[in-house]
Amino acid sequence: MDMSLLEPKSVVSSPFSSFRHQVQRFSRCSSCIGRFSRASYSNGVPNKAYCSGAVSSIGQDKLPAEGFTHQINGTNGLSSNLFSRDCRLLDAVDDQYDGIVIDPNGLPSNPVVFSSNLRFSLSHWKKKGKKGVWLKLLVEQSELIPIALKAGFQYHHAEPEYLMLTYWIPDGPCMLPANASHHVGVGGFVLNDRNEVLVVQEKYCSPAFANFWKIPTGFIVEKEEIYTGVTREVKEETGIETEFIEVIAFRHAHNIAFEKSDLFFVCMLRPLSTEIIVDDLEIQAAKWMPLAEFVEQSLVKEDVMFKKIIDICIARLDKYYCGLNVHQLVSKFDGKLSSLYYNTIDGEDLTCTGK
């Protein structure tokens, strides 16, 4: 069994290139309806400006004027943010850990407006004592990624439809959970009533494993159970319908695909059909092989991991070993249906219920 096969800025110039001494000409901060304080000018040159307009936010209708401050870049011009079309909080909700989850559907499409609103929001949330900030950017919002990174956000994870970024506001180490650390793989040990094992040869593998017959394996997909995932993989690779009996054993390994850890569950299955239909995309060949012939393969006999897995499967067949049955339970902690794998308990004795 091939172990590798078990793994399954934009910068926008200000429209005002210079300032005249008549500061009365500047009365608005774009849509913020703010006014420049005369006290912020020295010898006709602005040092700092304040936007005193009302700012809207989810769960908050107005913000105090002093909450929004823009620094001037030099003496010959204003920061482009000072003349942004919006100066408001990004649409967001609080999470249960005193953090912030930004609504991707409420993000401004204009990068300059997004930059202004993002920095303003971060400043506001910091004053409110918030902690982690989650920012999901959809594929069509990819031009906003450099802006978020420049503001201090970090990559968290990516899916085909979006990129997730995070920002930790407090000083000290970030306490946000890291990206998913594991892949989950499954292998199906299928034995028919003629004491034959369902085996396959992978189409794509290293030359050293070209002639090796192995049990069907694959990865669990998102939101899929172990017991349904393993029957699906067997069906896809060989066309054989099966019934899940129990988890026989599982292996935990590290630094596998993309430097992630890997959990691989060996499951015992009961065949419900006999005709093999090979998946030409992944599998070179598939067949029913006598168990005695299967265990005599050199790779099975010489590899400690493979040999132990087969020994456990045989012990289960002889009822010297009990695997883990699946049980559907609902916990009060989250109110969701979950799968718990354990031996069936009969009094004080553990009994194997699989036939």
Side-chain angles (χ1 to χ4, degrees):
M1 193 180 306
D2 182 356
M3 292 302 289
S4 66
L5 298 175
L6 298 185
E7 331 291 21
K9 214 160 15 105
S10 76
V11 176
V12 178
S13 299
S14 168
F16 302 93
S17 59
S18 64
F19 281 90
R20 296 176 180 267
H21 294 293
Q22 296 86 347
V23 299
Q24 294 88 344
R25 293 189 180 187
F26 304 98
S27 60
R28 291 179 181 266
C29 174
S30 188
S31 61
C32 292
I33 319 177
R35 295 186 179 275
F36 296 112
S37 169
R38 293 176 179 268
S40 65
Y41 287 78
S42 175
N43 297 323
V45 178
N47 295 320
K48 189 178 292 186
Y50 300 86
C51 178
S52 60
V55 182
S56 63
S57 167
I58 282 185
Q60 192 167 0
D61 295 329
K62 295 184 178 181
L63 293 174
E66 63 273 18
F68 186 32
T69 302
H70 274 302
Q71 297 290 339
I72 304 302
N73 291 338
T75 60
N76 294 323
L78 283 175
S79 164
S80 60
N81 285 345
L82 184 58
F83 299 99
S84 298
R85 297 177 58 189
D86 288 305
C87 303
R88 65 183 183 86
L89 282 179
L90 295 173
D91 294 338
V93 295
D94 295 343
D95 64 20
Q96 59 181 319
Y97 305 104
D98 209 16
I100 295 292
V101 180
I102 299 174
D103 179 11
N105 298 311
L107 295 177
S109 58
N110 185 303
V112 176
V113 177
F114 172 71
S115 178
S116 176
N117 292 353
L118 180 62
R119 294 181 182 278
F120 174 48
S121 299
L122 290 175
S123 176
H124 174 73
W125 293 328
K126 183 175 183 178
K127 293 179 180 179
K128 291 295 183 179
K130 297 301 179 180
K131 298 178 180 178
V133 182
W134 297 87
L135 173 62
K136 177 192 287 187
L137 294 179
L138 308 179
V139 173
E140 57 269 26
Q141 298 168 323
S142 59
E143 63 180 337
L144 304 181
I145 297 175
I147 299 173
L149 294 176
K150 187 175 181 180
F153 278 79
Q154 296 182 341
Y155 294 127
H156 188 269
H157 68 272
E159 294 291 344
E161 302 84 11
Y162 69 86
L163 170 69
M164 182 67 76
L165 303 100
T166 60
Y167 185 97
W168 185 248
I169 296 177
D171 294 331
C174 177
M175 301 301 292
L176 293 174
N179 183 23
S181 60
H182 285 68
H183 297 291
V184 179
V186 289
F189 187 85
V190 187
L191 192 73
N192 63 19
D193 55 6
R194 295 188 298 275
N195 217 36
E196 296 172 324
V197 184
L198 180 63
V199 293
V200 300
Q201 286 184 344
E202 299 281 357
K203 177 171 288 189
Y204 306 102
C205 62
S206 65
F209 303 104
N211 297 318
F212 177 61
W213 292 95
K214 58 184 281 293
I215 62 175
T217 61
F219 283 112
I220 295 294
V221 299
E222 188 175 3
K223 299 178 182 179
E224 186 175 44
E225 298 282 354
I226 293 173
Y227 69 92
T228 56
V230 66
T231 58
R232 173 189 55 76
E233 280 291 345
V234 171
K235 171 70 173 178
E236 290 177 357
E237 293 189 359
T238 68
I240 298 296
E241 298 279 358
T242 59
E243 177 186 4
F244 174 85
I245 299 178
E246 58 194 26
V247 172
I248 297 299
F250 70 90
R251 182 214 63 185
H252 192 197
H254 307 284
N255 295 320
I256 311 298
F258 307 106
E259 301 180 356
K260 296 294 185 179
S261 296
D262 181 270
L263 287 167
F264 181 79
F265 293 84
V266 181
C267 305
M268 180 162 286
L269 308 177
R270 180 184 298 109
L272 301 178
S273 63
T274 59
E275 183 181 358
I276 293 176
I277 303 174
V278 176
D279 175 15
D280 294 331
L281 295 178
E282 297 183 70
I283 304 302
Q284 183 66 37
K287 67 178 183 178
W288 292 101
M289 175 183 279
L291 179 59
E293 182 181 344
F294 175 69
V295 299
E296 286 300 314
Q297 294 184 98
S298 59
L299 281 175
V300 174
K301 296 173 64 176
E302 298 170 2
D303 186 90
V304 176
M305 181 76 70
F306 291 133
K307 188 176 186 306
K308 177 56 68 175
I309 290 175
I310 301 306
D311 287 347
I312 292 173
C313 290
I314 293 176
R316 171 61 184 88
L317 293 173
D318 294 335
K319 299 187 181 300
Y320 294 122
Y321 178 88
C322 289
L324 305 177
N325 307 115
V326 60
H327 303 266
Q328 300 289 309
L329 303 171
V330 178
S331 172
K332 289 184 177 181
F333 285 101
D334 55 17
K336 296 180 180 180
L337 184 68
S338 301
S339 296
L340 184 64
Y341 293 81
Y342 61 88
N343 296 120
T344 300
I345 301 176
D346 182 11
E348 295 183 356
D349 298 323
L350 298 182
T351 60
C352 298
T353 59
K355 297 180 180 180

